[in-house]
Amino acid sequence: MASDLEVTTDRAQRLAGGGWQAVAVHWLRKYRRVWVSTLITSSLSPLLYLAGMGIGLGMLVDRGAGGVGGVPYVVFVAPGLLAASTLQVAAGETTFSVLGSIKWTPIYHGMLATPLRVRDVVLGQLVYVLLRVTSAAIVFFVIAAALGTVRSWWGLLAVPVSVLGGMAFASCCFAYSANLRNDQGIMLMFRFVVMPMSLFSGTFFPIEQLPGWLQPVAWVTPLWHAVEACRALVLGTATVGGVLVHCAYLAVWLVGGYLLSVRVLRGRMVV
Amino acid sequence: MAVLERISRVPAGAGMARMLVERNYRSSRRTWSIIVSGFFEPVFFLFAMGVGIGALVGDVATGDGRLVPYVVFVAPALLAASAMNGAIFDSTTNVFFKLKYARLYDSVLSTPLGPRDIAVGEISWALLRGVVYSGAFLAVAVAAGAVTTWTAVLAVPAASLIGWAFASVGMATTTYMRTWSDFEYVQLAILPMFLFSATFFPLSTYPPVLQWVVQATPLYHGVAMVRDLMLDEVGAGMLVHVGYLVGMGLLGTAWTALRIERLLLR
Amino acid sequence: MPLSPSEPLIRARGLVKTFGDFTAVDGIDVDVHPGESFGFLGPNGAGKSSTMRMIGCVSPPTGGSLRILGMDPGTQGPAIRARLGVVPQRDSLDEELTVEENIWVYGRYFGLPRPVVRERAAELLEFAQLSERARSVVEPLSGGMKRRLTIARALVNTPQILLLDEPTTGLDPQARHVLWDRLFRLKREGVTLVLTTHYMDEAEQLCDRLVVMDHGRIVAEGSPRALIAEHSTREVLELRFDTHDHTAHLADVDGIADRVEVLPDRLLLYTPDGESAQSEIARRGIEPLSSLVRRSTLEDVFLHLTGRTLVD
């Protein structure tokens, strides 16, 4: 009997140490039931934007201004859409499901009643989001490349960079959502942060066209850095230093958001 | 005809749909921030199109062959599209919550109100919100210099017609939904319309075959109607646009009442 | 059509409700008279809720006839519902509104003018002991409070009949007693109560008359006391043994009681005199783990009529 007990405690301790895998598996299992509809929308909507904005509107832009920065509009807009849509998927996965797991279905309560720790809960879910976001980014990138919008082999790196941008924002979304009382705050965040950021971070047009006072705001957003790095990589104009600076900035958001999420969730769950 | 007869047999209720509108107004006072925020989405788009894309595109030819700045061309489309988006949001997500989780309609049906009251009440509410949004958007568009003629005022009732058409069909569709993830398919229907109903670039940009497809969608008629009004190019085509959307609204309302009866009065 | 004084408020004859192949209500006859407190007692799935929904005019009967307040639910649904109060099995309070707004808005569904609704709400919140929570939102209220609010809301139109589907299911004992007290007051004021329950104590507390339902049929009808007198003995001796199968002990108690029922965890001995049955057990040298004498309840009536227990 004694040895059995020792084995179980030992196992529990090991699970606690690496318990985030169990959390990630939990979310993946849930995802398995809806993956068809979500993968369709998360890949189709940016592709529809690429067709509508890049190709359709692109005809007007190319006729009017002869493209943007020397390339056809669709080539300009594709990396922007890659970064923006990755960020939107990431935000979508760390808002309703986080608040919902606290408020509507007490999933976190259940997880924390086991040897799992708060940081396992946060890390596990973010790892799931990472997988989810990476798959969406790959699908979009492959189709965008097939349409001839990728001009350099360096462009392949745009996938991890866009994922980094998405995760940088997602980790902050997690902290924000874990602090909410009701879902109104989520709607407001999408309308006043995600939507304007997607429109004004150099995704659809260069931020130089924004009024002067708005440009510094764009520099602060994680999306602008992701868009700039992705675009430079795809067009083959990237410099190692430039990409590294953008990635470092995004990494700061990612780590900061993660630490904040653990703190906020602990404050909410461990009382 | 069998369908018409079936619809006429849906229990009407007490004809007090306005009480449901009153209920929604009361509950909206606690969610005013969401309601106000809905107004900003088209404004952000208008700003992006005006300062960003507009500068790249330059002038665009209208249906009558006039050249107008891009922002003037795109503003009516954004108005029409936001009427659609607002109506769809209200009549799908909000109604689904009330139907499945809050069980609002179960308690409404135990009063003198009937399924037809619920359909008319909810759709009227979506429509009312649409009127407020489009009025506010129009004011912003005027301030941004995207409005050139007084007939633009008529864009507000036109937007409410669009709201009615989409809210009624949206609510009917919602009665078939089982889980939240089913709403991904609603987005799948809405997004292509938003992008390809001659919203951001003229119909003439499309290959001839696709032009037919575009012209079959309801948002195309909404956009064309509002654009004709805001560019003062009203012609006989207006009758087609209005007829299409009125037909859609009537059909959707009757369909919704029928479905509410099926679901809740069994 | 005015209701003649002799006519019952609710009259059902051969009432049937089917869902596809499943028959939920299988030809029942019911009369509910003014001022009466009438109950449907039965286990889950007996057809009680389906019957209540038909009476509430939100579910068209498949067969038979049903008249409520002298009217036909099929054609005069809104007119009937205007005079009913409905307390559904699951609270369907409007969580987007405050406590008092729930009553206001609900009153407006009946077409009551705003000043009337406000006045009624103040009275009803007093009645439901919720005046202090009037401006609170609904969500944080306790189960008992929500239930009382649902009842207050159902009374906003001063209904002639109050329909209560499982009024106290899921409430703690104290909350149940508070609720029963409120329902007693309504009864004294002459409101006709129609309720379903699968708790025999609730039926005994609240019902003047009740029907026992099982598999969509009525298996017995009468006042709680009359039903016990007719279908059970005065007392019951409950015996528990240290065994997996109580059937094994049937032979030991043979001849002691009028009737014996075997439950998974005990034997029930039906007898007019429990004490003497207990002494007989001791005399025979039988040693149960526990032995208890109690009065017969509606639970025993149901067990006798259907061979099953009410709460499973």
Side-chain angles (χ1 to χ4, degrees), chain C residues 203-205 207-210 222-229 298 301:
Chain C
E204 281 167 23
Q205 287 262 354
C207 300
D208 303 324
R209 204 158 60 83
L210 55 89
S223 69
R225 189 176 296 182
L227 283 171
I228 292 168
L298 285 170
V301 173

Side-chain angles (χ1 to χ4, degrees), chain A residues 91-92 94-97 99 104 169 173 176-177 180-196, chain B residues 31-41 44 85-86 88-90 92-94 129 133 180 187:
Chain A
T94 42
T95 44
F96 284 102
S97 55
L99 180 61
W104 301 310
F169 189 66
C173 275
Y176 173 78
S177 306
L180 287 175
R181 297 287 141 193
N182 60 47
D183 59 345
Q184 282 189 33
I186 296 179
M187 290 286 301
L188 293 178
M189 204 245 334
F190 272 96
R191 280 186 169 155
F192 288 113
V193 179
V194 177
M195 169 59 77
Chain B
T31 53
W32 63 270
S33 56
I34 296 285
I35 302 209
V36 171
S37 74
F39 154 77
F40 284 92
E41 199 161 296
F44 286 140
N85 282 329
I88 287 291
F89 179 74
D90 255 344
T92 57
T93 321
N94 285 359
R129 273 176 70 166
Y133 282 158
W180 287 109
Q187 280 312 305

Side-chain angles (χ1 to χ4, degrees), chain B:
Chain B
M1 284 306 102
V3 175
L4 277 182
E5 196 206 311
R6 181 74 192 83
I7 286 167
S8 70
R9 276 193 283 120
V10 171
M16 289 197 291
R18 65 179 189 286
M19 300 304 182
L20 200 59
V21 174
E22 198 177 309
R23 180 260 161 215
N24 285 348
Y25 167 69
R26 213 164 247 297
S27 85
S28 74
R29 296 195 305 185
R30 242 174 304 284
T31 53
W32 63 270
S33 56
I34 296 285
I35 302 209
V36 171
S37 74
F39 154 77
F40 284 92
E41 199 161 296
V43 172
F44 286 140
F45 260 93
L46 186 68
F47 185 55
M49 293 301 150
V51 303
I53 312 280
L56 299 173
V57 170
D59 289 350
V60 183
T62 69
D64 283 5
R66 278 190 298 151
L67 281 179
V68 295
Y70 184 68
V71 68
V72 174
F73 169 83
V74 86
L78 290 174
L79 179 64
S82 78
M84 170 184 82
N85 282 329
I88 287 291
F89 179 74
D90 255 344
S91 66
T92 57
T93 321
N94 285 359
V95 165
F96 185 72
F97 180 77
K98 291 177 187 169
L99 189 68
K100 292 273 154 97
Y101 294 90
R103 302 168 143 287
L104 175 69
Y105 306 134
D106 291 276
S107 61
V108 170
L109 286 175
S110 64
T111 73
L113 272 70
R116 203 183 297 170
D117 292 322
I118 292 177
V120 172
E122 285 293 354
I123 294 164
S124 307
W125 172 247
L127 196 150
L128 270 177
R129 273 176 70 166
V131 169
V132 174
Y133 282 158
S134 50
F137 178 79
L138 198 63
V140 173
V142 169
V147 176
T148 52
T149 163
W150 67 269
T151 48
V153 176
L154 292 175
V156 173
S160 67
L161 176 58
I162 299 170
W164 175 41
F166 280 98
S168 64
V169 171
M171 186 166 171
T173 316
T174 301
T175 61
Y176 294 93
M177 304 279 173
R178 290 152 303 155
T179 65
W180 287 109
S181 60
D182 287 341
F183 285 95
E184 308 268 341
Y185 295 105
V186 173
Q187 280 312 305
L188 225 52
I190 293 300
L191 187 58
M193 265 199 276
F194 173 62
L195 291 168
F196 300 106
S197 295
T199 357
F200 296 102
F201 39 96
L203 187 63
S204 56
T205 326
Y206 295 88
V209 185
L210 283 181
Q211 289 189 16
W212 284 102
V213 179
V214 169
Q215 282 174 300
T217 65
L219 185 60
Y220 167 77
H221 292 277
V223 168
M225 176 174 65
V226 176
R227 190 170 277 149
D228 286 355
L229 289 168
M230 286 179 70
L231 298 177
D232 196 8
E233 295 182 350
V234 178
M238 184 61 79
L239 289 175
V240 178
H241 306 320
V242 173
Y244 185 112
L245 295 169
V246 167
M248 181 169 158
L250 286 174
L251 198 77
T253 309
W255 184 18
T256 302
L258 195 71
R259 285 289 304 166
I260 293 281
E261 187 208 356
R262 283 262 169 87
L263 275 184
L264 301 179
L265 296 182
R266 49 194 297 270

Side-chain angles (χ1 to χ4, degrees), chain A residues 114-187:
Chain A
T114 71
L116 290 173
R117 292 161 306 181
V118 172
R119 64 168 187 255
D120 300 319
V121 171
V122 176
L123 186 60
Q125 190 167 349
L126 288 178
V127 166
Y128 152 74
V129 176
L130 176 73
L131 296 173
R132 166 93 178 73
V133 158
T134 307
S135 63
I138 290 174
V139 172
F140 178 83
F141 182 84
V142 167
I143 297 176
L147 291 171
T149 64
V150 178
R151 296 286 171 92
S152 156
W153 283 104
W154 288 106
L156 284 172
L157 286 178
V159 171
V161 170
S162 70
V163 169
L164 175 61
M167 293 310 295
F169 189 66
S171 66
C172 298
C173 275
F174 193 116
Y176 173 78
S177 306
N179 204 25
L180 287 175
R181 297 287 141 193
N182 60 47
D183 59 345
Q184 282 189 33
I186 296 179
M187 290 286 301

Side-chain angles (χ1 to χ4, degrees), chain C residues 260-283:
Chain C
V260 181
E261 295 278 355
V262 187
L263 296 185
D265 60 340
R266 64 209 138 122
L267 288 182
L268 301 180
L269 278 62
Y270 289 91
T271 164
D273 183 354
E275 298 267 327
S276 55
Q278 220 166 10
S279 354
E280 176 63 16
I281 295 285
R283 202 192 56 77

